[in-house]
Amino acid sequence: MSFLFPLGMAALGALAPLVALYLLKQKRTEQVVPAAFLWTEAMEDLRASSLFQRFRAPLLFVLQAASVILCALAAAGASLDLDLGSKPRRLLVLLDRSASMQATDGGEGRTRFDAARDAALELVDGLRGEDEMMLVAFDRKSEVLQTFTTDGDRLRKVLAAVGPRDLPTRPAQAVETAVSFARQGRAWDVEIIVLSDGCTPEALPHVPFPVRYAALGTSGDNQGIAAVEVSRQGGEDAQCFVRIENGHDAPAKRTAVLRRGAEVLDARVVEMEPGADATAVFELPSSPGTAEMSVSLEGKDVLPADDRAHFLLRDEAPRTGFVVRAEPSVHFDPAKVQRLRPGLALVGVTLAEAEAALAAGTKVDFVCWDRTAPTRLWDVPAQMFIACLPPGAGLSDAGVMEDPVIIDWHRTHLVTSRCQFDDVLVHEAMRVAGHERSLPLIESTGGPLALLVPVPGRDVLVVAFDPSRSNLWLKLSWPLFLANSMNHLLAGAARDGEESHLPTGTAVTLDLRPPVAVTRPRGEPLTLAAESDDAALPPFAATDAGGIWRFRGADGRESLRAFVLADADEIRCAPRTELVTGSATVASDPSGFRRNALLRDPLLFAALGILLLEWALWCGRR
Amino acid sequence: MALLTKDFLAKLESLEIVSRRIRRGRFRGERRSARRGASVEFADHRPYGRGDDLRFLDWPLYARLGMLMTKLFHDEEDLAVHLVLDRSASMDFGEPSKLLHAKRIVAALGYVALLGANRVSFWSPGAGSSGDCDLRDLRSTRNAERLLQAIESLPADSRHETGAPGAGSTLLGEPLRRWIGTRRPRGVVVIASDFLHRDGAWEHLRPLVRGGLEVHAVRVQDRDEIEPQVEGDLRILDSEDGSGADVTVTPALLDLYERARLEYDRRLEEFCRSRQVSLAATVTDEPFEKLVLEVLRIRGLVA
């Protein structure tokens, strides 16, 4: 037997007044009678007639004391060891601290994370002798909170200090970490315990050890902001596109409210089918300087963390770009294109000039590789490849498509919205291979003609045909397509420190003089210091909370950054009842975590029963 | 007189103490004695002896048989009536107390005995400062008032305080044996007590029976002894020897008490029956007049 709260044994102190009362009670009322021997004989007969009666005098006291002792044991959290294995155990506890663990359906008003922590504490309380436990927390990354230890107090302190963060769930790394640690403990009974809601898109690796899994939470009634995009057409007021997802299996209706600081600017009512999404578009008012904006969903659901997204509306900074071409083109004249995207200064250069400038460290925001592919993929925020392919992006030229017929295009994407391609005739185009991870924007009978290709850190736009060898450049859709493309590419390609927002967990480079005072979104202060006085600050990656972060350098200069959770997998937070590890499936079994059976309820029932028995005996004596 | 009213005393004048046997008295009285004496009631003949009073020769018998026979007559002597009153601490219970009830009975019987020209003795042992009350050989109704006042003024023995065994027991046991040994009583003994003793009261009555006395036992009890009105957790203390017992009064215990009490009564009655001791029991909530006028008459103590 072990005790969860040994201090509860202090309840045994109640025995002292009980004994005192018993001793006082022993001073019975004295009754003088003519002859006591008749009573003595009767008492002897009574004792002789029943063995039970022999103990009757102190029996009530014994019963009362027993009930007090049982209550004290219950208060001390007495528990019975059910696992009587002889081998010491090694428990690897993987604790999910992602955003979805902030859902408030953990039971008894707790969050899922609270429930996970309680389950972990139960495991700590169940450690015996040489049993060891290791704690690994995970969200988008994993972190070893505590290596294997038998020290229950240390584990409890670690668990008390850890909390959920506004980050997505990526448990694979944590599982790999756990497996590597588990391999070191062959002398123990190793077990990996996953305390999570299982809301992750990641496939977990195979785990060659026993795995137990507790699916925490009960509800998927949640809607959240899955994406925020601030788009600014050149010379126009910015727009904010907010994608709201319904993670619930029932229709939902929410109101999205746009605020500048605490001031409500606008609101949109969005209705969503089960599992579907909706977009709310807000016109953002122009304002000098930097405005702290937010979009929030009014109403309640189980996960408040994804109901608000903060972003910063900044003055538009001038942008520069190259149009890299071997010869002038009729379809991409920098002077004309510049009119489509005011604020973007484009310069026509040759491939050699462009690559020389980029190699020399020239910072440009946009490069259009017009029928001239670079020798490598340069670190440029926005890039567009016309009739050529980005190197190193996994794409290859699989030949020429003759007269491909456009059959469809992405009608809601920003790049192709409001464009018409149904009467466009393309003479020839590249047949692009390896585009499975890409998003096709214009589809033809021979394959995609325009596609967004993910490259490290961003997307690049690939147009697989030469517009001058089609009638597209003669149509209205072409400048619209170009303007949309540049807006889309540049919207997601803000320079460091000029982004409207970043995903939570993104590391940021701070161009501030250390030490830097950091104020987290909820006001908690933090100080960043460089390794030496003249050293630059390392990238700051602890951006684990959604909201506006304030960074103030030693010289008083302040920099604001907004971080947004915006993760669809966190929004669809209905707990998964199964966890797939490799080819194995682990069903959730929260009840299986109790290696120690808590005896609180049986003890309390026993104490109550004893008190009832004592009461019955007392009544019987009267 | 507080113990007995005049009306009751008047009723007592029609009663007399009855002895089942003819006993020798000390003085002349109104009872036939075993001794041959000078009464007019013929008892027997015996051969004439020199010195016999010639007036008692049975001349008609001499005429018929030619034998000189002297007529013998019953003698009439007084009857010794010993009244013994237990005033031990155990008698000081109840309302009215057992002692008061016993006093009235003893006083009534003493008065009846004096009316019958009996020789009345009264003895009541006492502990402590009160000491024994011992009135001897009271005769005639002139002593009635003395007797009754003596009885009335007797206090009950103080209850046991010290805890020494036997400290509160004043009648049964050693005092009674001492009284028998020193007084060697003859005649009728009326002993009024509750006859409660740890060793059994009958054990202490044996010396009386062995002494050839005609013993009449009047047992006085309180209703609470028969049907105890107690409840809860108690420390029962014996009024006489201070011994105690912790009891929790339950119906089962009361049943066992009742059983123990009845067993005690049975053994007392059996002793009395086998030793020809008349036993009359009374309870303090019953009128003592009824006992004296009816019960004792039935028991053969008075007629």
Side-chain angles (χ1 to χ4, degrees):
Chain A
M1 181 175 286
S2 56
F3 299 96
L4 299 184
F5 318 107
L7 283 179
M9 293 300 280
L12 284 177
L15 280 176
L18 188 65
V19 171
L21 285 172
Y22 176 72
L23 293 176
L24 289 173
K25 190 183 170 187
Q26 286 296 91
K27 291 188 175 179
R28 294 162 179 258
T29 306
E30 292 187 347
Q31 175 83 33
V32 180
V33 296
F37 65 90
L38 291 175
W39 289 102
T40 308
E41 286 177 16
M43 283 297 292
E44 286 170 359
D45 288 347
L46 193 65
R47 287 178 184 139
S49 65
S50 168
L51 179 65
F52 178 70
Q53 295 295 338
R54 184 182 295 275
F55 304 102
R56 191 160 187 171
L59 181 60
L60 297 186
F61 168 71
V62 170
L63 290 176
Q64 290 164 0
S67 63
V68 168
I69 291 170
L70 290 177
C71 287
L73 288 173
S79 57
L80 201 60
D81 293 336
L82 298 180
D83 184 0
L84 301 177
S86 56
K87 236 175 164 182
R89 292 181 300 160
R90 271 197 156 182
L91 303 181
L92 268 152
V93 178
L94 306 186
L95 190 62
D96 186 352
R97 59 172 172 181
S98 65
S100 61
M101 294 295 280
Q102 299 176 46
T104 54
D105 58 348
E108 300 171 355
R110 299 175 301 169
T111 64
R112 293 178 184 179
F113 186 81
D114 292 336
R117 178 161 39 202
D118 290 347
L121 286 170
E122 272 189 26
L123 290 167
V124 173
D125 295 331
L127 293 178
R128 294 179 293 108
E130 297 177 6
D131 288 353
E132 293 186 345
M133 185 187 281
M134 174 174 169
L135 287 172
V136 179
F138 66 90
D139 35 53
R140 66 191 287 268
K141 292 181 178 176
S142 68
E143 180 187 358
V144 176
L145 299 177
Q146 176 62 52
T147 53
F148 283 115
T149 181
T150 57
D151 188 347
D153 289 340
R154 187 174 181 81
L155 289 164
R156 287 188 193 92
K157 282 179 185 171
V158 169
L159 284 169
V162 69
R165 311 200 293 185
D166 293 342
L167 294 170
T169 314
R170 302 291 183 268
Q173 186 190 359
V175 172
E176 286 167 0
T177 304
V179 169
S180 65
F181 272 94
R183 288 187 197 283
Q184 302 166 13
R186 292 294 185 189
W188 285 265
D189 274 339
V190 178
E191 193 169 29
I192 295 174
I193 296 163
V194 182
L195 303 174
S196 171
D197 53 14
C199 300
T200 177
E202 264 189 358
L204 299 184
H206 171 67
V207 180
F209 295 99
V211 177
R212 284 193 289 163
Y213 166 55
L216 301 160
T218 56
S219 173
D221 182 8
N222 185 50
Q223 296 81 40
I225 297 171
V228 176
E229 188 164 321
V230 178
S231 172
R232 189 192 297 272
Q233 305 283 348
E236 296 179 8
D237 285 343
Q239 283 184 312
C240 176
F241 296 82
V242 181
R243 185 159 61 86
I244 301 161
E245 288 223 1
N246 180 14
H248 195 29
D249 54 4
K253 183 177 179 181
R254 302 292 294 268
T255 303
V257 179
L258 175 72
R259 288 182 174 86
R260 179 168 53 199
E263 176 191 7
V264 175
L265 299 180
D266 202 353
R268 298 278 186 279
V269 175
V270 290
E271 296 186 15
M272 294 161 283
E273 290 301 311
D277 62 4
T279 303
V281 182
F282 294 98
E283 299 291 333
L284 300 177
S286 59
S287 56
T290 302
E292 297 178 19
M293 312 292 290
S294 70
V295 177
S296 62
L297 297 181
E298 303 298 304
K300 285 192 72 175
D301 54 22
V302 292
L303 182 60
D306 60 3
D307 289 347
R308 182 175 284 260
H310 293 263
F311 60 93
L312 298 167
L313 184 60
R314 304 176 193 271
D315 290 334
E316 189 176 24
R319 305 295 178 101
T320 60
F322 292 153
V323 177
V324 183
R325 56 192 177 181
E327 56 189 22
S329 61
V330 293
H331 58 265
F332 208 110
D333 180 3
K336 290 180 180 175
V337 172
Q338 207 161 329
R339 287 201 296 275
L340 295 171
R341 183 63 169 78
L344 174 62
L346 288 175
V347 180
V349 293
T350 63
L351 177 62
E353 290 170 342
E355 292 202 315
L358 292 171
T362 303
K363 292 287 184 185
V364 291
D365 300 292
F366 176 75
V367 176
C368 176
W369 306 95
D370 186 5
R371 295 166 293 171
T372 305
T375 55
R376 51 172 284 208
L377 188 62
W378 293 94
D379 184 20
V380 176
Q383 298 185 68
M384 184 174 179
F385 295 82
I386 297 177
C388 62
L389 296 176
L395 303 181
S396 60
D397 186 352
V400 177
M401 288 188 289
E402 296 288 345
D403 300 323
V405 177
I406 295 175
I407 55 175
D408 200 4
W409 64 93
H410 201 308
R411 293 165 199 272
T412 57
H413 196 277
L414 182 62
V415 173
T416 48
S417 65
R418 291 178 281 186
C419 295
Q420 290 289 329
F421 298 103
D422 50 0
D423 58 347
V424 172
L425 300 174
V426 179
H427 180 58
E428 64 176 31
M430 283 192 299
R431 190 184 300 277
V432 179
H435 59 80
E436 290 77 14
R437 292 174 58 240
S438 304
L439 175 65
L441 298 176
I442 303 173
E443 291 272 18
S444 76
T445 51
L449 293 180
L451 60 165
L452 278 171
V453 180
V455 296
R458 60 189 62 87
D459 287 348
V460 297
L461 177 63
V462 174
V463 179
F465 62 97
D466 181 356
S468 59
R469 295 183 67 79
S470 73
N471 64 348
L472 176 61
W473 70 281
L474 298 172
K475 294 182 175 295
L476 183 61
S477 287
W478 175 243
L480 196 57
F481 178 77
L482 278 181
N484 284 352
S485 300
M486 287 186 288
N487 283 333
H488 175 72
L489 294 172
L490 286 168
R495 292 174 183 168
D496 279 351
E498 294 180 1
E499 311 90 351
S500 64
H501 63 278
L502 293 167
T504 49
T506 305
V508 292
T509 303
L510 299 169
D511 185 20
L512 296 170
R513 184 190 296 176
V516 174
V518 184
T519 306
R520 291 166 59 90
R522 289 176 186 168
E524 306 97 318
L526 191 68
T527 301
L528 303 178
E531 289 182 358
S532 60
D533 291 343
D534 52 350
L537 281 173
F540 177 67
T543 53
D544 55 8
I548 308 290
W549 290 63
R550 299 171 193 281
F551 302 88
R552 183 181 292 276
D555 56 358
R557 201 152 57 86
E558 188 178 63
S559 172
L560 301 183
R561 303 292 174 90
F563 293 90
V564 177
L565 167 62
D567 186 283
D569 293 305
E570 300 300 304
I571 294 169
R572 295 190 183 92
C573 63
R576 316 290 199 273
T577 55
E578 289 182 342
L579 199 68
V580 179
T581 57
S583 58
T585 301
V586 181
S588 170
D589 182 16
S591 62
F593 283 89
R594 285 189 177 170
R595 290 296 183 101
N596 281 23
L598 193 62
L599 299 176
R600 183 188 59 190
D601 291 346
L603 287 171
L604 287 178
F605 275 118
L608 182 64
I610 286 175
L611 284 177
L612 287 174
L613 175 65
E614 191 260 344
W615 179 73
L617 286 174
W618 184 79
C619 288
R621 292 167 58 152
R622 295 186 68 80
Chain B
M1 209 172 292
L3 281 178
L4 305 173
T5 62
K6 286 184 177 177
D7 290 343
F8 184 64
L9 289 174
K11 291 178 184 175
L12 294 178
E13 289 176 359
S14 62
L15 299 178
E16 61 175 333
I17 299 293
V18 176
S19 174
R20 290 193 293 269
R21 285 178 287 181
I22 296 172
R23 298 176 178 281
R24 287 187 178 182
R26 186 180 297 177
F27 303 102
R28 296 195 70 80
E30 294 180 353
R31 284 178 198 281
R32 193 172 68 177
S33 170
R35 190 176 293 168
R36 299 295 178 251
S39 71
V40 293
E41 190 175 354
F42 174 76
D44 201 356
H45 288 93
R46 67 174 171 82
Y48 172 76
R50 191 175 289 178
D52 286 346
D53 193 340
L54 292 177
R55 287 177 298 176
F56 296 116
L57 274 175
D58 191 349
W59 294 112
L61 182 69
Y62 178 74
R64 284 201 303 276
L65 301 177
M67 296 172 63
L68 285 175
M69 302 294 284
T70 303
K71 290 191 285 189
L72 299 177
F73 296 90
H74 287 294
D75 199 2
E76 287 189 338
E77 291 178 342
D78 58 354
L79 176 66
V81 177
H82 300 277
L83 302 172
V84 178
L85 175 64
D86 178 8
R87 57 189 173 103
S88 61
S90 67
M91 293 292 285
D92 190 18
F93 275 91
E95 187 59 43
S97 71
K98 293 192 289 183
L99 179 61
L100 177 61
H101 205 71
K103 278 180 177 178
R104 285 172 171 167
I105 293 167
V106 169
L109 294 175
Y111 186 71
V112 170
L114 288 175
L115 284 175
N118 296 304
R119 184 159 39 88
V120 177
S121 298
F122 174 74
W123 175 68
S124 179
S129 59
S130 61
D132 292 358
C133 177
D134 192 3
L135 299 177
R136 300 185 186 185
D137 299 334
L138 302 178
R139 295 168 61 89
S140 85
T141 54
R142 288 177 310 203
N143 289 311
E145 189 171 347
R146 182 185 167 201
L147 173 66
L148 297 183
Q149 281 181 347
I151 292 174
E152 185 177 5
S153 62
L154 280 178
D157 273 353
S158 58
R159 292 183 182 177
H160 172 82
E161 299 293 343
T162 62
S169 180
T170 55
L171 172 62
L172 300 176
E174 180 58 26
L176 190 60
R177 280 197 297 274
R178 179 165 43 82
W179 180 71
I180 295 169
T182 55
R183 291 290 303 277
R184 298 188 180 281
R186 295 286 184 270
V188 174
V189 173
V190 178
I191 179 166
S193 172
D194 54 10
F195 295 104
L196 290 173
H197 196 278
R198 182 180 302 277
D199 303 329
W202 50 90
E203 296 296 334
H204 304 285
L205 294 179
R206 288 183 195 278
L208 285 176
V209 178
R210 279 195 218 108
L213 290 166
E214 184 177 335
V215 181
H216 293 270
V218 179
R219 189 178 186 197
V220 183
Q221 289 177 285
D222 187 70
R223 182 62 63 188
D224 264 1
E225 292 170 15
I226 300 170
E227 298 164 1
Q229 301 298 313
V230 289
E231 62 177 19
D233 296 327
L234 299 173
R235 168 158 292 172
I236 298 291
L237 289 178
D238 192 293
S239 61
E240 296 187 355
D241 61 13
S243 61
D246 289 342
V247 300
T248 299
V249 181
T250 63
L253 182 68
L254 290 176
D255 284 348
L256 290 171
Y257 173 85
E258 173 75 358
R259 205 176 300 170
R261 184 183 66 79
L262 291 176
E263 173 64 14
Y264 185 88
D265 292 354
R266 186 192 66 77
R267 294 186 67 181
L268 179 62
E269 288 167 6
E270 188 176 305
F271 173 85
C272 292
R273 190 166 51 250
S274 64
R275 300 297 193 281
Q276 296 182 330
V277 175
S278 80
L279 175 65
T282 181
V283 184
T284 55
D285 58 0
E286 294 173 352
F288 81 97
E289 294 92 339
K290 181 183 174 186
L291 175 85
V292 174
L293 299 177
E294 296 179 15
V295 178
L296 292 183
R297 182 177 287 180
I298 294 171
R299 297 289 179 188
L301 177 59
V302 294

